C-alpha cells in the first residue's frame, strides 16, 4: 500500500527518515530515481539515514512502476520519495495507485518560481503538477508532517 509520494531534492534525510516515516507508519521507503539506482556511493550514503526496522529500496522510475503495478509492494506500507517533479510526474502518470503527492522540498534553480518555503518550480514543472491535480492526484505543499496542508493549485491559480 502506498502511503504517500514525496518530492524532496535531498531524498532521505532526518526529517524524512524520522518525522515523515513515523507519521505515515511506513515500513518501507522506495527511492525512485534513475540516477541514484546506479550510484553505489549515493545509495550507501542514503542508507545511513534509514530508520531501523524500515526497508529501503532503490529503483529506477520504470522499475518502480513495474513493482507497484505487479503488486509486490502491496505487502508494505510504502513511502515513495522522488528527487524532483519530473520523477513524480512520470511515476504518477503510469501508476493510478499514486493519488497523493507531497511537494516538500524542491531546490531553487534558474527559471524557477518560489511557491512556498523551500519550494521552487519551473513553468514546466508547474504544468506537470497541474495536470496531475486535474486528473485527481492530491498535491499538497508541506515540509513537515505537522505543517498545514496547502493545496498546490491554490498557490498557482
Amino acid at each position: 500500500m502506498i502511503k504517500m509520494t514525496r518530492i524532496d531534492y535531498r531524498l532521505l534525510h532526518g526529517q524524512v527518515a524520522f518525522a515523515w516515516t513515523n507519521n505515515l507508519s511506513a515500513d518501507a521507503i522506495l527511492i525512485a530515481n534513475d540516477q541514484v539506482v546506479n550510484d553505489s556511493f549515493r545509495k550507501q550514503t542514503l542508507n545511513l539515514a534509514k530508520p531501523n526496522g524500515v526497508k529501503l529500496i532503490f529503483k529506477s522510475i520504470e522499475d518502480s512502476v513495474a513493482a507497484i503495478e505487479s503488486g509486490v509492494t502491496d505487502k508494505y506500507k510504502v513511502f515513495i520519495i522522488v528527487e524532483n517533479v519530473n520523477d513524480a510526474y512520470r511515476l504518477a502518470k503510469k501508476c493510478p495507485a499514486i493519488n497523493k503527492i507531497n511537494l516538500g522540498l524542491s531546490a531553487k534553480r534558474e527559471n524557477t518560481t518560489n511557491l512556498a518555503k523551500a519550494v521552487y518550480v519551473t513553468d514546466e514543472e508547474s504544468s506537470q503538477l497541474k495536470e496531475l491535480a486535474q486528473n485527481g492526484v492530491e498535491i499538497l505543499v508541506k515540509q513537515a508532517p505537522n505543517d498545514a496542508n496547502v493545496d498546490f493549485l491554490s498557490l498557482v491559480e
Side-chain angles (χ1 to χ4, degrees):
M1 160 196 264
I2 297 171
K3 300 296 281 185
M4 187 174 74
T5 300
R6 177 178 169 91
I7 300 167
D8 191 325
Y9 74 94
R10 297 188 302 173
L11 294 172
L12 190 59
H13 54 89
Q15 182 183 67
V16 170
F18 298 101
W20 277 107
T21 302
N22 287 336
N23 179 268
L24 297 169
S25 299
D27 59 9
I29 297 171
L30 168 60
I31 294 182
N33 181 272
D34 294 340
Q35 287 74 42
V36 172
V37 76
N38 295 313
D39 186 333
S40 59
F41 179 74
R42 277 186 83 187
K43 288 194 297 190
Q44 191 174 18
T45 303
L46 291 165
N47 255 306
L48 295 173
K50 179 187 84 65
N52 287 334
V54 175
K55 183 177 180 76
L56 182 59
I57 307 148
F58 300 96
K59 290 193 176 292
S60 68
I61 298 298
E62 288 302 318
D63 287 345
S64 296
V65 169
I68 293 164
E69 292 298 300
S70 76
V72 73
T73 60
D74 291 350
K75 62 185 172 189
Y76 298 103
K77 292 179 268 181
V78 182
F79 178 23
I80 301 171
I81 306 169
V82 296
E83 192 171 36
N84 54 59
V85 171
N86 188 53
D87 284 352
Y89 177 78
R90 290 172 50 215
L91 197 58
K93 286 290 286 181
K94 294 183 177 182
C95 290
I98 295 176
N99 55 22
K100 185 176 189 177
I101 295 175
N102 166 238
L103 179 51
L105 295 173
S106 56
K108 183 176 183 177
R109 296 155 282 142
E110 192 174 326
N111 299 318
T112 57
T113 302
N114 179 228
L115 294 182
K117 182 180 176 187
V119 175
Y120 298 85
V121 295
T122 64
D123 289 344
E124 179 185 358
E125 291 168 337
S126 184
S127 293
Q128 289 175 328
L129 292 168
K130 283 180 191 175
E131 180 185 332
L132 291 175
Q134 290 163 350
N135 287 313
V137 177
E138 181 181 21
I139 300 176
L140 300 175
V141 177
K142 183 173 177 166
Q143 274 194 5
N146 294 330
D147 291 348
N149 289 333
V150 177
D151 181 50
F152 167 76
L153 291 177
S154 73
L155 298 173
V156 294
E157 292 183 338

